[in-house]
Amino acid sequence: MEEKTIAQELKARVEAAEKVLVGLGAEWSGLEPQAAEKAYRALARLLQGKDYFIVTVSTDGRILESALDGKRITAPCGNVHWFQCREACTSDIWEEGEVPDGRCPHCGAELIPNTVEAEHYIEEGYMISWREYTAWLARTLNRCLEVLELGTGMGMRELQLLRWPFEKTVFFNNKAHMYRISGEFPQISDEIKDKALSVRENSVEFAGNL
Ligand SMILES: [Zn+2]
């Protein structure tokens, strides 16, 4: 029998999994529109019909323009299409164009993108989706779970939001398996080395070619 390529095996594993957890790291930030579109389209095709959830550290909001289900995405670092008060006088969040003069209706300060770049980041913006995510994650226990960790580096937010919790999830779930695909940091810790595959390749290109 011919040996399967990594991509073929990944697709087969996703197909067989009951749940699919996807993490998008820093490799998914600052993408050219075409590269982003191609990669998100391929991801959407891969995940179609699956019970999945995506955690992304990207703040460019491109994922929300893709065919991926917005109800299955959480972006804890925020997204540039949502706005908050620069002074954080309120936890209110506004959508693009919702406030024509771009000033906080409460205090008159400038409205700025609701991302971690804000001096006083309002976390309410992503909290609803984050709660959905943690509830979803709790339901993966003892289920056949495939984890796709794509393009995660060693930044503190990537470690806290993706790498560490994903490793923990795979460690504690006997039916879990993980792919860690990253151009720079695909290393896998010893604790999960029998349940995870390390692929040293840019994850956006990898996904785009699926
Ligand atoms: Zn304000």
Side-chain angles (χ1 to χ4, degrees), residues 43-79:
L43 265 191
R45 204 163 45 223
L46 176 72
L47 297 171
Q48 190 167 21
K50 302 302 297 185
D51 184 4
Y52 65 89
F53 219 105
I54 301 175
V55 185
T56 180
V57 298
S58 171
T59 59
D60 63 21
R62 281 194 206 286
I63 192 170
L64 302 173
E65 297 154 18
S66 75
L68 289 158
D69 183 353
K71 291 193 205 71
R72 295 177 175 277
I73 298 167
T74 189
C77 298
N79 115 57

Side-chain angles (χ1 to χ4, degrees), residues 43-168:
L43 265 191
R45 204 163 45 223
L46 176 72
L47 297 171
Q48 190 167 21
K50 302 302 297 185
D51 184 4
Y52 65 89
F53 219 105
I54 301 175
V55 185
T56 180
V57 298
S58 171
T59 59
D60 63 21
R62 281 194 206 286
I63 192 170
L64 302 173
E65 297 154 18
S66 75
L68 289 158
D69 183 353
K71 291 193 205 71
R72 295 177 175 277
I73 298 167
T74 189
C77 298
N79 115 57
V80 294
H81 298 299
W82 289 357
F83 292 84
Q84 66 161 77
C85 172
R86 178 187 286 283
E87 301 303 325
C89 79
T90 168
S91 57
D92 287 359
I93 303 288
W94 293 273
E95 288 181 35
E96 222 155 15
E98 201 180 340
V99 183
D101 71 353
R103 295 270 153 195
C104 173
H106 303 288
C107 75
E110 189 188 0
L111 293 185
I112 57 170
N114 176 226
T115 75
V116 286
E117 301 299 317
E119 195 183 341
H120 310 285
Y121 177 42
I122 300 288
E123 308 214 20
E124 268 75 1
Y126 73 85
M127 263 310 151
I128 293 174
S129 62
W130 185 259
R131 278 188 216 109
E132 297 276 333
Y133 164 57
T134 53
W136 181 90
L137 193 61
R139 292 194 297 270
T140 65
L141 198 64
N142 293 322
R143 298 300 192 91
C144 179
L145 170 71
E146 192 61 39
V147 179
L148 308 178
E149 194 201 85
L150 306 179
T152 300
M154 291 295 188
M156 193 42 75
R157 290 202 174 86
E158 294 174 282
L159 291 172
Q160 289 175 341
L161 295 165
L162 302 170
R163 271 184 116 86
W164 293 338
F166 280 24
E167 285 177 6
K168 194 174 141 202

